[in-house]
Amino acid sequence: MNRYINCVAHGLSDGNLLIGEERAALFDCGMAICAKDTIQIVKNALAGRPLDYIIITHAHYDHVGALPFFRKEWPEVRLAASEAGAALLLKETPRKVFREFGGIAAKHLGITFDAGYSDDAFHADVIVKDGDSIPLGGLTVEALETPGHTRDSFSYFIPELELLISNESSGVLMPEGEVIPCYVTSYNDTMSSIKKCRSTHYKFLSLPHRGLVGEKDGKEFFDKAFAANAVCRNFILNMNAKGLSEEDMLELYLDRYGKTLLSNSYQIKDAFVANAKATIECTLRKHMKLHFTKMHGCGNDYIYINSFDRDIDSPESLSVFLSDRHTGVGGDGMVLILRSDIADAKMRMFNYDGSEAGMCGNAIRCVAKYLYDNNMIRKPHMRIETLSGVKDLYLSIKNDLVSSVKVDMGQAKLRPEEVPVNLTGDNVIARPVTIADHAGQDYAVTCVSMGNPHAVVFCENVDTFDMHGIGPLFENHPLFPDRVNAEFVELVGRNHLKMRVWERGRGESQACGTGACASAVAAVLNGYCDTGADIKVQLPGGNLIIHYTDETVFMTGGCVKVFDGTVDV
């Protein structure tokens, strides 16, 4: 970690310095009143090298207030911010707040500083979007959009150091170990952002106003943050249910959360009160009643929403909120059913963690059943648009309801760049790869794309396979630039497979339609099954029949409605 330096000044001001071979970047430059000390820390660390970037996690006074002083010290420094953050920096009101809160903080702490800076310093030079990378030479900064504390909040992951630099959307960790919730603009976005950060598989974690934390705190933080935010939301809802006034709710909120935070000195009461009011307001914001249908294919369950005549804002965070099996409806994800200009309908499918997938074979069968059973499209042959293209579906009808669906899944893609997988050759069939040194063995991997990337491994006994130990290592291995779904397959008989799956963004699930197709294709390519035969794939949630030819792959399976419901969002 010798290229990472924590630059928190006086426990007041954020700062994380990364020094690459070619460039150096500072994450947040902190409060104006701490500028002199923070600049000196950075200058000492750089030892004459220039500061190339200041990358902000969000545009609040205690994270960006010192910018004018840094620009004076390093005139060539470039400020990187999200599009929303860049827009905020140009507005008069935020600039006024930076100056006002900076003055209040100085008076509160008895610190004098030069407030005669120019507001023109508050502008962004580089716009950062989710998934962007900033190369520093030997180090890569990967941007993660993680809203909730603010709409412009971003976190950053440095894979070479296995370091995650988080922001306040997850909350603030107190020295005593308590996590103080900091969601201000959206509870749902906050919970989505926590899961997104947790999924980076970081080894080292830097937290706002704390810097680098110990290994134990780092491992536990996001679980604690998830629980703390849920408790905070319920606390506010319970106060509202008792009929308390806004003033009484604010007083109780300050009593519960303000004492701990304000006693640590780095937060001024004016800022905390402003954030507390926004937290209560966004929690109590009028909810929209959303109708949904819970359905499953072979136990692969999703929440289906009719979006023919309704737009859904922030479907990523909504999927996280609804999919949670403890605090939401519960499911492997959420599916929107929309109108299409090129097919009978369109589906968008979001995983448990909010990431969007190109295709789901089990979900698309349920989409066809939803459309037919609800008299929206009464065709035994439907065409459904997906991110992986238009798919043809053939419906089996019993008692005027759809019982099963055969889906033309399209041609299997085998070229490494189409999967994608970072290996050479025309295809990857039974290729030995090392996934983790501690696993003590190579895995013979066959890679297939069925609209989603898949890595298939044949093993002797899937029931005893260490799915939860090995699955995440496959999902996040550098071999797979878009992550991967990993299937572990046992040969039961000729044209009979037994499969378990670890899905990217979801973990182990009861079934995966594209995974069953990929497993059948891999079995044929390895000589275990026959081309043109009906291959039975046995999954924890049920069975699928896969028919593979060089031209296409057909998948046939059931689809079941579980229940209808309404939820406030």
Side-chain angles (χ1 to χ4, degrees):
M1 297 294 289
N2 58 350
R3 290 172 288 178
Y4 163 85
I5 298 169
N6 180 25
C7 300
V8 177
H10 304 311
L12 300 168
S13 194
D14 267 3
N16 295 277
L17 181 65
L18 283 180
I19 303 175
E21 295 170 4
E22 300 168 3
R23 300 179 184 88
L26 178 68
F27 295 81
D28 290 333
C29 54
M31 298 167 68
I33 59 175
C34 299
K36 181 179 178 180
D37 292 323
T38 309
I39 287 172
Q40 190 58 52
I41 294 171
V42 174
K43 285 179 68 176
N44 292 343
L46 290 175
R49 288 183 53 175
L51 179 63
D52 299 281
Y53 291 102
I54 295 175
I55 305 173
I56 61 171
T57 60
H58 64 288
H60 271 179
Y61 84 102
D62 53 337
H63 293 262
V64 75
L67 181 61
F69 305 95
F70 274 82
R71 286 199 187 276
K72 184 177 180 180
E73 185 69 34
W74 290 283
E76 302 301 318
V77 72
R78 306 177 74 197
L79 182 75
S82 69
E83 188 172 2
L88 280 171
L89 292 177
L90 296 177
K91 293 182 178 180
E92 182 179 349
T93 298
R95 291 178 171 188
K96 182 179 178 182
V97 170
F98 297 158
R99 192 180 293 274
E100 178 185 348
F101 280 7
I104 294 172
K107 183 177 180 181
H108 173 67
L109 297 166
I111 298 174
T112 59
F113 78 107
D114 179 12
Y117 60 78
S118 170
D119 284 339
D120 292 339
F122 293 105
H123 67 269
D125 306 291
V126 178
I127 301 299
V128 177
K129 296 183 179 179
D130 187 50
D132 283 355
S133 295
I134 299 176
L136 301 181
L139 296 176
T140 306
V141 178
E142 297 179 355
L144 302 172
E145 186 175 13
T146 48
H149 178 56
T150 63
R151 292 184 177 87
D152 68 306
S153 294
F154 266 66
S155 300
Y156 297 93
F157 183 60
I158 298 85
E160 295 86 356
L161 300 179
E162 298 180 278
L163 169 65
L164 176 65
I165 298 174
S166 183
N167 68 56
E168 289 180 46
S169 288
S170 301
V172 172
L173 180 65
M174 294 289 99
E176 301 80 11
E178 180 186 4
V179 176
I180 301 296
C182 293
Y183 73 89
V184 174
T185 59
S186 170
Y187 172 80
N188 289 346
D189 283 350
T190 292
M191 299 304 254
S192 177
S193 294
I194 290 172
K195 289 187 176 181
K196 189 172 186 177
C197 285
R198 186 168 53 188
S199 71
T200 58
H201 296 283
Y202 60 89
K203 184 175 181 181
F204 302 99
L205 179 62
S206 178
L207 295 176
H209 302 288
R210 283 292 301 274
L212 201 66
V213 298
E215 184 177 355
K216 183 175 185 295
D217 285 335
K219 286 182 178 179
E220 296 177 352
F221 175 73
F222 291 111
D223 288 337
K224 292 172 68 173
F226 197 90
N229 279 278
V231 168
C232 179
R233 177 177 180 269
N234 289 334
F235 175 61
I236 294 170
L237 293 176
N238 287 335
M239 287 193 295
N240 185 61
K242 293 176 181 177
L244 297 182
S245 67
E246 292 181 10
E247 292 78 9
D248 288 342
M249 283 193 284
L250 179 60
E251 183 178 348
L252 289 173
Y253 186 92
L254 292 175
D255 184 65
R256 177 159 185 166
Y257 294 108
K259 287 181 178 179
T260 303
L261 197 58
L262 296 175
S263 66
N264 284 272
S265 298
Y266 60 73
Q267 176 71 280
I268 61 173
K269 186 173 182 180
D270 303 66
F272 184 79
V273 169
N275 286 346
K277 288 180 178 178
T279 298
I280 294 171
E281 180 184 345
C282 86
T283 304
L284 300 180
R285 195 173 294 143
K286 186 175 180 181
H287 297 300
M288 174 183 69
K289 289 193 178 298
L290 186 65
H291 301 287
F292 67 88
T293 298
K294 178 79 173 288
M295 306 178 77
H296 80 86
C298 292
N300 200 186
D301 58 336
Y302 288 92
I303 301 151
Y304 294 81
I305 297 172
N306 180 356
S307 298
F308 263 42
D309 300 305
R310 162 180 270 174
D311 293 329
I312 299 295
D313 295 329
S314 302
E316 298 86 355
S317 59
L318 182 61
S319 180
V320 172
F321 172 63
L322 294 180
S323 300
D324 192 279
R325 297 189 186 275
H326 299 288
T327 61
V329 176
D332 288 329
M334 179 185 76
V335 176
L336 303 182
I337 304 173
L338 308 101
R339 297 185 187 275
S340 172
D341 294 329
I342 59 174
D344 293 307
K346 177 181 178 180
M347 66 172 270
R348 291 184 67 192
M349 178 240 158
F350 297 88
N351 290 320
Y352 180 90
D353 69 349
S355 60
E356 186 167 7
M359 175 59 183
C360 176
N362 291 316
I364 200 170
R365 298 198 310 275
C366 291
V367 169
K369 177 177 175 63
Y370 186 101
L371 293 167
Y372 189 94
D373 291 0
N374 287 288
N375 297 309
M376 296 169 68
I377 298 173
R378 298 289 284 187
K379 293 181 178 180
H381 171 207
M382 291 185 192
R383 305 189 78 234
I384 305 296
E385 179 187 356
T386 75
L387 286 182
S388 299
V390 177
K391 306 299 180 184
D392 287 276
L393 294 85
Y394 304 90
L395 285 58
S396 295
I397 313 297
K398 288 184 179 179
N399 300 321
D400 205 34
L401 297 174
V402 174
S403 59
S404 66
V405 177
K406 180 169 79 170
V407 185
D408 185 343
M409 300 288 286
Q411 191 174 40
K413 296 179 180 179
L414 304 175
R415 296 187 62 82
E417 63 272 17
E418 293 178 321
V419 174
V421 55
N422 294 325
L423 292 171
T424 59
D426 292 335
N427 51 42
V428 178
I429 300 175
R431 187 85 61 91
V433 298
T434 301
I435 295 300
D437 292 338
H438 75 265
Q441 68 176 87
D442 288 345
Y443 292 88
V445 174
T446 299
C447 294
V448 181
S449 173
M450 293 299 309
N452 297 325
H454 295 273
V456 181
V457 174
F458 293 94
C459 57
E460 291 186 2
N461 189 328
V462 295
D463 292 330
T464 60
F465 186 82
D466 182 16
M467 176 67 73
H468 291 271
I470 304 300
L473 302 179
F474 268 86
E475 177 189 356
N476 298 286
H477 196 278
L479 274 176
F480 308 104
D482 293 342
R483 295 189 295 166
V484 78
N485 302 289
E487 285 78 30
F488 303 94
V489 183
E490 177 184 341
L491 304 174
V492 179
R494 193 72 184 178
N495 301 323
H496 184 183
L497 308 174
K498 186 176 182 181
M499 182 192 102
R500 289 173 67 189
V501 58
W502 184 273
E503 297 193 62
R504 58 177 182 171
R506 190 182 311 159
E508 184 173 14
S509 64
Q510 292 291 295
C512 175
T514 58
C517 292
S519 296
V521 171
V524 171
L525 296 176
N526 283 276
Y528 302 135
C529 294
D530 301 317
T531 305
D534 284 344
I535 300 170
K536 179 180 178 180
V537 181
Q538 184 179 337
L539 302 145
N543 299 328
L544 293 171
I545 302 299
I546 310 299
H547 190 96
Y548 169 55
T549 68
D550 292 335
E551 290 74 32
T552 194
V553 180
F554 286 103
M555 175 193 64
T556 303
C559 37
V560 179
K561 174 181 175 180
V562 183
F563 62 86
D564 293 314
T566 303
V567 62
D568 288 337
V569 296

